[in-house]
């Protein structure tokens, strides 16, 4: 009897041991199976996402691929001056919608439409003081829209219109990427140079060399200064093998009434680890006037690029300029300051900017009142 | 006492002196579809393909780069040693490209088996794996065209 009980106990222990091991093996297998099922589901989801017929996706009738995106940028701007009342406005809003269509590996269509609602900062008509206009400026424009034929890297052809490749800030005129809202005066200062949009055809390409990469741009345009005569421009740039240094020169030739405008520029973009600096110079030669501008913008990134601090020294000089269509008052101005960019996510850029607008020469005062003012502004750009 | 001194010296020397084998250890292997005409790729060409600065192989076949999702060890190594960019710089680069040209970053995945199957089936595709990866050894239809140390 004792033996029977002993054998039964032994068998029970054995059964429990085997059962325990089996449960462990089963649990491991279940975990593995669950992991594989998860992977399978992810694959199916990816395949579904690529199927134009599947629910919830956008299908196109022509393209292999279509991409839709854009950005929204807004700002709260405060201006104060010794000889003017304090002004605060939240009236600067830009919505950009980008549409890219890849028709095949050699051809694509790209466009960007901008809708702008802003209260311009301007002179009041009857007094010399500046203020935000009570009449909002509302505009919708096609910033770029072109078909691009890309047989190879050395030669590409764009047909349509787009931002001119003149320098750094006008060539890369994408508002959410600017460290400073609107960019320096070459892009935002109302200098009437360089002419901002190419129209017609744009040839571009890059060549690899032993000492880096060389690129060129050649484009046509119809300037608003004289729509009867085709204008054009070019750019030549060199980039170091590690892309950390880029140097470029740009030129434009346009008609302006009875004059011919010749714009030239040079630019330098350096990035070394967390430190970078951008600088540009541009000059416009026309009969009787000589517009020029230059800026330098050093910046430093930290916390894995989530924070960027930058400084700005930006000069512009536009003497009296007149043609058949309009007269532009002269001004000479320094914009000095700096700011902080915060990018908690790569699609969101929040900026804080401080600028001193220092008018010089004939534009320093109007009717005995200084034109100098300070700007403190907060802006946010969201890309989607 | 002398013996102890020599022993300590030898141990320190072993730790400090870099062994060629240690610094030359392969960290990534670059693979393409077996039908691709190239047999070798440089780090510069690799970066150009993944940043879409170059879009076709020398024979004209479109390049289809396949990337890892953010945070994967292979991608971290690739960013630092091939693209020479941080995640943040890369994100800003693609933001710009999307706005200027409508270009999108390469498809990014998180599974070795999926990347293997895509590279082996899509003509012109290119991918990369950690050299220590076991599953890539059993992947058919691909060929190794480069190594990054």
């Amino acid at each position: 009897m004792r033996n029977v009980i002993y054998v039964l106990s032994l068998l029970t222990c054995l059964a429990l041991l085997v059962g325990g091991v089996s449960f462990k093996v089963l649990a491991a297998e279940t975990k593995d199976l669950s992991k594989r099922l998860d992977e399978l589901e992810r694959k199916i989801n990816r395949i579904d996402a690529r199927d134009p017929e599947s629910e919830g996706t956008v299908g196109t009738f022509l393209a292999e691929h279509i991409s839709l995106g854009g950005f929204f940028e807004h700002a709260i701007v405060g201006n104060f001056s010794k000889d003017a009342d304090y002004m605060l406005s939240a009236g600067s809003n830009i919505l950009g919608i980008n549409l890219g269509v890849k028709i095949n590996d050699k051809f694509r269509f790209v466009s960007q439409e901008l809708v702008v609602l802003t209260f311009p900062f301007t002179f009041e008509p009857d007094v010399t003081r500046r203020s935000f206009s009570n009449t909002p400026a509302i505009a919708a424009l096609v910033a770029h829209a072109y078909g691009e034929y890309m047989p190879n890297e050395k030669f590409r052809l764009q047909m349509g219109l787009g931002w001119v490749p003149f320098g750094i800030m006008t060539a890369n005129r994408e508002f959410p990427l600017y460290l400073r809202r609107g960019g320096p005066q070459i892009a935002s200062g109302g200098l009437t140079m360089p002419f901002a949009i190419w129209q017609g055809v744009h040839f571009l390409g890059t060549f690899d060399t032993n000492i880096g990469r060389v690129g060129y741009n050649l484009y046509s345009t119809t300037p608003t200064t004289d729509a009867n005569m085709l204008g054009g421009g070019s750019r030549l740039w060199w980039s170091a093998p590690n892309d950390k240094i880029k140097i470029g020169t740009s030129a434009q030739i346009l008609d302006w009434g009875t004059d011919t405008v010749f714009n030239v520029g040079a630019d330098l973009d350096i990035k070394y680890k967390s430190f970078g600096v951008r600088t540009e110079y541009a000059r416009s030669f026309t009969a009787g006037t000589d517009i020029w501008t230059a800026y330098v913008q050093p910046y430093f990134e930290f916390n894995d690029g989530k924070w960027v601090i930058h400084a700005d020294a930006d000069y512009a000089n536009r003497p009296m300029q007149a043609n058949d269509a309009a007269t532009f008052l002269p001004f000479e101005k320094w914009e000095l300051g700096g700011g902080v960019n915060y990018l908690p996510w790569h699609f969101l850029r929040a900026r804080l900017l401080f600028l001193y607008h220092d008018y010089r020469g004939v534009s320093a005062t109007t009717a005995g009142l200084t034109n100098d003012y300070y700007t403190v502004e907060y802006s946010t750009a969201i890309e989607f | 006492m002398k013996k102890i001194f020599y022993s300590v010296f030898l141990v320190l020397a072993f730790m400090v002196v870099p062994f060629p084998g240690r610094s030359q250890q392969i960290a990534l292997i670059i693979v393409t579809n077996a039908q691709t005409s190239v047999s070798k790729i440089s780090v510069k060409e690799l970066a150009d393909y993944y940043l879409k600065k170059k879009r076709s192989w020398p024979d004209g076949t479109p390049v289809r780069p396949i990337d890892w999702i953010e945070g994967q060890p292979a991608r971290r190594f690739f960013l630092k040693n091939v693209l020479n960019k941080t995640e943040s710089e890369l994100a800003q680069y693609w933001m710009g490209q999307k706005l200027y040209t409508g270009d999108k970053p390469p498809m990014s995945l998180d599974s070795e088996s999926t990347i293997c199957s895509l590279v082996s089936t899509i003509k012109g595709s290119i991918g990369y794996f950690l050299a220590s990866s076991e599953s890539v050894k059993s992947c058919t239809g691909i060929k190794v065209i480069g190594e990054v140390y």
Side-chain angles (χ1 to χ4, degrees):
Chain A
M1 188 62 187
R2 272 180 77 180
N3 284 347
V4 173
I5 292 168
Y6 179 73
V7 170
L8 280 174
S9 306
L10 205 66
L11 284 172
T12 310
C13 286
L14 202 65
L16 284 170
L17 194 70
V18 170
V21 172
S22 304
F23 275 125
K24 252 187 172 175
V25 170
L26 198 65
E29 277 180 359
T30 311
K31 205 176 165 187
D32 189 45
L33 197 64
S34 158
K35 206 174 161 186
R36 288 168 68 185
L37 274 172
D38 282 347
E39 193 177 337
L40 205 61
E41 271 178 22
R42 277 201 300 273
K43 280 184 191 174
I44 290 166
N45 286 339
R46 276 185 216 116
I47 292 163
D48 274 351
R50 281 178 221 142
D51 180 3
E53 297 297 321
S54 66
E55 208 177 314
T57 59
V58 178
T60 66
F61 58 89
L62 181 63
E64 264 183 45
H65 302 285
I66 187 166
S67 62
L68 183 65
F71 70 91
F72 181 76
E73 184 180 82
H74 80 99
I76 299 174
V77 185
N79 287 325
F80 53 97
S81 165
K82 196 180 83 171
D83 290 336
D85 296 331
Y86 180 71
M87 291 164 278
L88 189 65
S89 171
S92 179
N93 306 279
I94 303 176
L95 172 70
I97 298 290
N98 286 62
L99 187 69
V101 182
K102 185 180 167 191
I103 294 167
N104 59 40
D105 285 312
K106 303 277 184 201
F107 201 92
R108 66 181 170 195
F109 175 78
V110 183
S111 75
Q112 183 183 69
E113 290 74 38
L114 297 179
V115 181
V116 181
L117 168 65
T118 183
F119 291 84
F121 186 53
T122 180
F123 282 106
E124 286 182 17
D126 54 344
V127 293
T128 56
R129 290 181 176 185
R130 295 159 185 277
S131 67
F132 290 106
S133 167
N134 287 320
T135 309
I138 302 168
L141 66 133
V142 180
H144 53 241
Y146 57 83
E148 183 173 19
Y149 173 57
M150 308 174 286
N152 55 57
E153 287 74 33
K154 293 180 180 68
F155 176 82
R156 284 155 59 189
L157 169 61
Q158 297 178 347
M159 296 151 280
L161 63 87
W163 297 121
V164 289
F166 189 105
I168 301 167
M169 290 296 173
T170 49
N172 304 337
R173 196 191 286 258
E174 294 298 348
F175 300 101
L177 300 177
Y178 283 162
L179 295 178
R180 172 184 156 188
R181 185 180 67 90
Q185 295 182 83
I186 191 171
S188 65
L191 286 171
T192 66
M193 78 102 181
F195 187 69
I197 300 280
W198 66 264
Q199 295 170 77
V201 290
H202 177 197
F203 301 96
L204 65 158
T206 59
F207 294 87
D208 283 330
T209 69
N210 292 333
I211 51 159
R213 181 166 291 155
V214 176
Y216 72 90
N217 300 77
L218 201 62
Y219 55 89
S220 66
T221 188
T222 290
T224 49
T225 50
D226 187 348
N228 294 305
M229 181 57 75
L230 202 65
S234 63
R235 176 169 168 77
L236 192 66
W237 56 265
W238 167 81
S239 172
N242 55 10
D243 279 343
K244 299 298 180 194
I245 301 175
K246 194 170 180 179
I247 299 171
T249 58
S250 310
Q252 283 185 331
I253 186 158
L254 316 158
D255 246 25
W256 183 300
T258 52
D259 287 337
T260 299
V261 182
F262 189 53
N263 298 328
V264 292
D267 53 272
L268 171 67
D269 192 348
I270 300 173
K271 179 83 196 287
Y272 180 71
K273 292 185 178 175
S274 299
F275 177 76
V277 63
R278 295 180 186 126
T279 182
E280 280 188 72
Y281 165 81
R283 192 163 191 165
S284 180
F285 298 98
T286 53
T289 187
D290 181 10
I291 306 170
W292 73 276
T293 184
Y295 76 88
V296 57
Q297 184 182 58
Y299 62 94
F300 183 75
E301 297 171 347
F302 54 101
N303 196 14
D304 194 28
K306 282 190 165 53
W307 290 89
V308 187
I309 50 172
H310 64 95
D312 297 88
D314 183 4
Y315 176 82
N317 185 5
R318 191 187 68 193
M320 176 72 86
Q321 193 178 26
N323 77 335
D324 304 338
T327 301
F328 298 93
L329 292 173
F331 75 83
E332 183 187 354
K333 182 186 182 188
W334 275 97
E335 289 186 351
L336 303 165
V340 180
N341 283 205
Y342 174 51
L343 296 91
W345 301 282
H346 61 263
F347 56 84
L348 179 69
R349 184 186 294 270
R351 311 183 190 96
L352 198 60
L353 177 74
F354 173 81
L355 272 185
Y356 173 48
H357 303 258
D358 180 12
Y359 283 85
R360 301 287 181 94
V362 291
S363 61
T365 56
T366 306
L369 300 173
T370 181
N371 284 323
D372 292 358
Y373 66 97
Y374 297 89
T375 294
V376 179
E377 74 169 40
Y378 163 79
S379 63
T380 310
I382 303 159
E383 293 156 88
F384 52 87
Chain B
M1 189 63 192
K2 257 186 173 178
K3 275 185 181 174
I4 294 170
F5 176 78
Y6 280 128
S7 306
V8 170
F9 177 79
L10 280 173
V11 168
L12 285 175
F14 181 80
M15 288 165 73
V16 171
V17 175
F19 278 75
R22 284 164 85 192
S23 61
Q24 290 292 301
Q25 208 169 25
I26 299 168
L28 287 182
I29 52 172
I30 316 302
V31 298
T32 57
N33 181 277
Q35 292 177 41
T36 309
S37 58
V38 294
S39 56
K40 211 174 177 187
I41 192 167
S42 68
V43 169
K44 188 174 177 299
E45 286 170 321
L46 192 58
D48 283 348
Y49 290 142
Y50 270 83
L51 296 174
K52 296 197 177 176
K53 289 180 178 176
K54 285 188 173 175
R55 295 162 179 279
S56 53
W57 296 107
D59 68 354
T61 311
V63 179
R64 312 278 190 209
I66 297 166
D67 206 348
W68 288 86
I69 60 164
E70 196 176 325
Q72 293 288 324
R75 177 165 159 127
R76 284 205 297 268
F77 189 91
F78 190 77
L79 281 183
K80 192 178 173 190
N81 296 284
V82 177
L83 300 186
N84 208 10
K85 287 183 188 293
T86 62
E87 283 286 359
S88 168
E89 285 173 332
L90 188 68
Q92 289 304 306
Y93 171 81
W94 284 115
M95 276 294 173
Q97 290 305 109
K98 281 180 196 174
L99 293 168
Y100 305 139
T101 64
D103 254 349
K104 288 187 287 188
M107 177 194 292
S108 52
L109 302 164
D110 62 349
S111 149
E112 282 190 350
S113 58
T114 315
I115 293 178
C116 263
S117 62
L118 285 175
V119 174
S120 63
T121 49
I122 300 171
K123 202 180 170 195
S125 59
I126 179 170
Y128 60 91
F129 297 91
L130 284 175
S132 56
S133 163
E134 285 298 321
S135 60
V136 70
K137 288 170 187 162
S138 58
C139 189
T140 54
I142 63 170
K143 66 177 176 183
V144 177
I145 56 164
E147 291 152 352
V148 181
Y149 301 102

